[in-house]
Amino acid sequence: MILSVTLALGTGARRFHVSAAFSAKAKVAMSRFEPSSTINYEKMHENINIVRRRLSRPLTLSEKIVYGHLDDPAGQEIDRGRTYLRLRPDRVAMQDATAQMAMLQFISSGLPRVAVPSTIHCDHLIEAQIGGPEDLQRAKEVNEEVYNFLATAAAKYGVGFWKPGSGIIHQIILENYAYPGVMLIGTDSHTPNGGGLGSICIGVGGADAVDVMAGIPWELKCPNVIGVKLTGSLSGWTSPKDVILKVAGILTVKGGTGAIVEYHGPGIWCRMATICNMGAEIGATTSIFPYNHRMKTYMEKTGRGEISAVADHFKDDLVPDNGCEYDQVIEINLSELKPHINGPFTPDLCHPVSEIGATAKKNGWPLEVKVGLIGSCTNSSYEDMGRAASLAKQALDKGLKCKAQFTVTPGSEQIRATIERDGYSKILSDVGGIVLANACGPCIGQWDRKDVKKGEKNTIVTSYNRNFTARNDANPATHAFVTSPEIVTAMAIAGTLDFNPETDYLTAANGEKFKLEAPTGDELPSRDFDPGQDTYQYPPAEGSSVMVNVSPTSNRLQLLEPFDTWQGKDLEGMRILIKVKGKCTTDHISAAGPWLKFRGHLDNISNNMLIGAVNIDNDAVNKVKNLLTGKFGGVPDVARHYKANGVNWVVVGDENYGEGSSREHAALEPRHLGGRAIIVKSFARIHETNLKKQGLLPLTFDDAKDYDKIRPDDKISITGLPSLVPGKPLTAVIEHSDGSQESITLNHTFNETQLEWFRAGSALNRMKELQ
């Protein structure tokens, strides 16, 4: 039902009285850490009604929240999939690896203080090696300079700071900052996790975060909306993870690009954050569930009952309108859904667990499970840990421990303290598990793995979200499979990929054959959450006197220098640095793992640029021909040589170029080393925006077959730049080494504001021009 202000509030004195009551009720803090920043449902409600009257149609939930945050709801052009929206997000969140560059850019802006509530979360720089306490202490020592920079920058500019050990950014947001109707942008691709609480949470690069922190309207192409209708109910071994694994198999890694995935229907009562989190793997802008009683209960359990009470008043704005239309609809009957496992090497290669053994044998994938890993931002809830512990308890009761290595990553200090109090940690440890620090750890490659050598073919199973080549352990021969914590635990106990817990038997210590009973676990702790240690640093009311030091000799941090501006003419005679073959994610463009230590030092981290991409010329990684010397070298080395000799260069790529993480370093590094354009068949959303922000030209072939026309030793000129306007294609003149030439058409998605970024050299340059 569409909420009508007149019908809901009446007229005259009664309307004034109830409206005043609504207004008083709405003065509720966005979080306990920011008592002076209050939720403004009334403004969102007003904007929704303006837009609904303009469009004269029912709205989806995601449209309500997105359009409810428009800077100009009365004048904004709104056309799904075409126009760019100017939005006013409520808050910003940054993890420590991306926050370094975001804060360095904010410092460069010259602004005194952030304009919206913002937080930094120290979760990425803690390497898994021994166990939680030891790894955390080592991280504090190794990263002292970076943590000190982030803590002081946060204090100076009014940003909340979650210290190392607090937990993974997305779990902290879920526990403290996400609520129905909030719009949050985060410098991590799995920010959509917050959609599990009815939030519009979108992953972005650091430059986008700087816009919001600077109080500038933030741009987003008006998303299409994909509806996923859930019917039936989950039972047995099937879990919420299987919903998104199935959706990933249907939509593939690029099927959600440019769209918000909106779950609806009678089957929505499941662990919603898990499903929204892994929506990043289908390229979706974000994912969301409608406000419901389970969200209300969770907020009450996490000390936010006041927010849920206000949300109740505005609940019609927090669910889709009857009769709203989606651009695409997928229907999944949860009663028929079976446990799934996806991989290896891509998160959309979908298999029922019952079939994975036969598929693995057919493809030559190793059946022995070397390591099972549960936790991460995707699956580290109290219920996740409880269900895994219920299986571990069954194994222990039969005298068994895990045959595979087994690791457990709590999502937050609150989860760690609560599962320790309630005995889950002991059960998981007794079955052979190692409880790691409250951090990302192996999920992002922060794993000092010792049990296999690099290049050794092996299989791991995880409850994570992403399984690109070498993602978890830097070993390209590791076959990583993504599944639910329950299936990971069962396979770790059995030690083999072809174990189907629904049908297969284990052998107890006494020789008895037995089947694991389906996992069970409480959704929320009956004794409430144990908050654990206090790990939050409040920013001072006035931070101007705080000193933020960046040593000029540091190899971890480096103040930014402005990029050069466009010279007002076409780009001619550019070399092709590398023509990339096949999948090229942001992990291929800017690897994580040991490179995370340089995320605050642009020149040093640029030494990893495209070292994981496959060169079509020789099927090798990090080996390209220097066309000035005729010798082969590493990609960053050749790029530096071209730059030193005044030679501009381009990258040529395949489909969905830049999928995966939001890391803007994958755009900063090519810009820093002299790149001018990235020419591909198609882009992932965040990466295309990041390239624009840094003054590069992200261009797509008008005809995808033109990819085949380009040879690695060609020169490319891009013409039409002085007259470039939104919607007008460019021409690329390809000069082959034999002297022949041919021209192809290249498309772009720049709007007028974004073209100003290009002309100024970067979005940050443009911001400073406007001050």
Side-chain angles (χ1 to χ4, degrees), residues 212-491:
V212 180
M213 290 191 292
I216 298 171
W218 173 64
E219 284 197 339
L220 176 73
K221 181 174 275 191
C222 188
N224 290 315
V225 188
I226 298 172
V228 179
K229 184 178 181 180
L230 302 180
T231 61
S233 59
L234 296 172
S235 63
W237 285 89
T238 309
S239 77
K241 189 65 164 281
D242 299 307
V243 176
I244 187 57
L245 294 174
K246 181 69 173 177
V247 170
I250 295 169
L251 289 176
T252 78
V253 290
K254 64 176 184 175
T257 303
I260 293 176
V261 179
E262 187 171 309
Y263 293 85
H264 62 283
I268 59 170
W269 321 112
C270 52
R271 275 166 285 159
M272 297 165 280
T274 289
I275 296 170
C276 292
N277 177 291
M278 201 175 155
E281 271 47 72
I282 57 173
T285 301
T286 192
S287 302
I288 192 169
F289 278 78
Y291 182 49
N292 58 66
H293 71 272
R294 295 183 76 163
M295 294 180 187
K296 180 180 175 68
T297 302
Y298 181 79
M299 286 193 290
E300 290 169 348
K301 279 281 190 179
T302 50
R304 293 174 290 165
E306 280 189 319
I307 296 178
S308 62
V310 182
D312 285 343
H313 279 285
F314 290 89
K315 61 181 181 294
D316 286 353
D317 290 338
L318 304 173
V319 296
D321 286 342
N322 289 332
C324 67
E325 293 186 359
Y326 299 99
D327 296 287
Q328 178 183 354
V329 176
I330 298 167
E331 186 165 338
I332 296 176
N333 185 337
L334 302 180
S335 300
E336 297 174 356
L337 186 64
K338 287 293 190 179
H340 277 68
I341 185 168
N342 287 20
F345 307 123
T346 184
D348 59 349
L349 186 56
C350 184
H351 322 273
V353 169
S354 59
E355 299 175 11
I356 187 62
T359 304
K361 290 171 187 173
K362 177 182 175 183
N363 289 289
W365 301 336
L367 287 178
E368 180 189 4
V369 173
K370 287 285 190 180
V371 191
L373 307 100
I374 66 169
S376 85
C377 62
T378 320
N379 278 110
S380 59
S381 69
Y382 183 80
E383 185 176 3
D384 285 326
M385 295 299 169
R387 285 169 68 88
S390 75
L391 299 173
K393 181 68 164 57
Q394 292 179 54
L396 290 169
D397 289 345
K398 297 293 185 178
L400 297 184
K401 290 192 174 186
C402 291
K403 288 186 178 178
Q405 292 184 45
F406 187 48
T407 71
V408 181
T409 305
S412 68
E413 170 62 9
Q414 178 169 275
I415 292 292
R416 182 210 62 78
T418 306
I419 65 172
E420 187 171 304
R421 180 199 68 192
D422 292 352
Y424 292 168
S425 293
K426 185 176 190 309
I427 293 170
L428 294 168
S429 296
D430 288 348
V431 84
I434 297 173
V435 179
L436 300 174
N438 314 322
C440 300
C443 182
I444 59 159
Q446 283 285 57
W447 183 17
D448 185 21
R449 190 178 180 192
K450 302 290 190 185
D451 63 302
V452 296
K453 295 176 181 173
K454 192 167 183 177
E456 183 180 339
K457 199 172 174 181
N458 74 101
T459 285
I460 64 173
V461 291
T462 82
S463 72
Y464 302 163
N465 42 45
R466 201 162 276 168
N467 59 346
F468 302 139
T469 301
R471 164 79 179 183
N472 304 116
D473 61 1
N475 180 6
T478 293
H479 292 55
F481 294 86
V482 176
T483 186
S484 67
E486 299 92 314
I487 297 297
V488 172
T489 305
M491 288 183 172

Side-chain angles (χ1 to χ4, degrees), residues 369-695:
V369 173
K370 287 285 190 180
V371 191
L373 307 100
I374 66 169
S376 85
C377 62
T378 320
N379 278 110
S380 59
S381 69
Y382 183 80
E383 185 176 3
D384 285 326
M385 295 299 169
R387 285 169 68 88
S390 75
L391 299 173
K393 181 68 164 57
Q394 292 179 54
L396 290 169
D397 289 345
K398 297 293 185 178
L400 297 184
K401 290 192 174 186
C402 291
K403 288 186 178 178
Q405 292 184 45
F406 187 48
T407 71
V408 181
T409 305
S412 68
E413 170 62 9
Q414 178 169 275
I415 292 292
R416 182 210 62 78
T418 306
I419 65 172
E420 187 171 304
R421 180 199 68 192
D422 292 352
Y424 292 168
S425 293
K426 185 176 190 309
I427 293 170
L428 294 168
S429 296
D430 288 348
V431 84
I434 297 173
V435 179
L436 300 174
N438 314 322
C440 300
C443 182
I444 59 159
Q446 283 285 57
W447 183 17
D448 185 21
R449 190 178 180 192
K450 302 290 190 185
D451 63 302
V452 296
K453 295 176 181 173
K454 192 167 183 177
E456 183 180 339
K457 199 172 174 181
N458 74 101
T459 285
I460 64 173
V461 291
T462 82
S463 72
Y464 302 163
N465 42 45
R466 201 162 276 168
N467 59 346
F468 302 139
T469 301
R471 164 79 179 183
N472 304 116
D473 61 1
N475 180 6
T478 293
H479 292 55
F481 294 86
V482 176
T483 186
S484 67
E486 299 92 314
I487 297 297
V488 172
T489 305
M491 288 183 172
I493 292 167
T496 182
L497 191 64
D498 61 354
F499 177 71
N500 178 6
E502 290 189 302
T503 58
D504 295 347
Y505 287 81
L506 295 168
T507 303
N510 63 3
E512 170 195 355
K513 298 285 186 182
F514 75 100
K515 277 174 64 176
L516 291 169
E517 295 179 6
T520 59
D522 293 334
E523 181 182 352
L524 295 166
S526 59
R527 291 189 285 163
D528 293 333
F529 285 104
D530 183 335
Q533 299 178 41
D534 182 4
T535 54
Y536 180 75
Q537 171 186 292
Y538 286 86
E542 171 55 59
S544 59
S545 62
V546 177
M547 296 297 296
V548 181
N549 293 318
V550 175
S551 169
T553 61
S554 171
N555 73 344
R556 297 288 302 269
L557 297 166
Q558 180 186 49
L559 292 174
L560 296 175
E561 295 291 333
F563 289 133
D564 61 344
T565 59
W566 175 57
Q567 296 302 300
K569 56 187 180 180
D570 290 333
L571 294 167
E572 298 180 346
M574 296 184 291
R575 288 294 188 179
I576 295 165
L577 178 65
I578 181 173
K579 182 179 178 182
V580 178
K581 178 181 178 181
K583 185 187 282 283
C584 189
T585 72
T586 48
D587 282 84
H588 294 91
I589 304 167
S590 177
W595 290 96
L596 284 172
K597 68 172 70 75
F598 299 125
R599 282 285 180 86
H601 196 294
L602 180 55
D603 194 55
N604 282 347
I605 198 167
S606 292
N607 289 322
N608 77 358
M609 186 190 71
L610 286 157
I611 63 174
V614 177
N615 180 6
I616 200 169
D617 196 29
N618 53 15
D619 282 336
V621 295
N622 202 27
K623 186 178 181 181
V624 296
K625 190 173 185 178
N626 185 325
L627 296 167
L628 298 184
T629 66
K631 298 179 181 179
F632 281 88
V635 183
D637 301 321
V638 174
R640 287 183 188 277
H641 189 260
Y642 286 166
K643 181 180 180 182
N645 286 275
V647 175
N648 293 326
W649 52 262
V650 304
V651 170
V652 176
D654 213 315
E655 296 279 6
N656 207 34
Y657 184 89
E659 72 174 91
S661 168
S662 69
R663 65 192 65 159
E664 66 180 343
H665 297 78
L668 282 159
E669 293 170 31
R671 184 73 168 93
H672 176 64
L673 294 185
R676 295 298 177 183
I678 311 294
I679 306 169
V680 301
K681 294 179 182 178
S682 64
F683 283 103
R685 175 189 65 86
I686 301 176
H687 187 59
E688 183 181 22
T689 301
N690 285 345
L691 292 168
K692 292 177 182 178
K693 286 279 187 178
Q694 303 307 334

Side-chain angles (χ1 to χ4, degrees), residues 123-171:
D123 61 356
H124 272 55
L125 299 178
I126 303 169
E127 185 182 51
Q129 194 176 79
I130 302 169
E134 300 90 344
D135 294 345
L136 176 58
Q137 182 56 40
R138 186 176 66 258
K140 289 178 178 178
E141 295 168 0
V142 170
N143 302 305
E144 181 180 10
E145 179 186 15
V146 171
Y147 290 149
N148 181 62
F149 165 73
L150 292 174
T152 53
K156 185 175 186 67
Y157 296 106
V159 176
F161 181 71
W162 289 86
K163 301 172 187 176
S166 301
I168 304 172
I169 177 173
H170 311 303
Q171 184 67 26

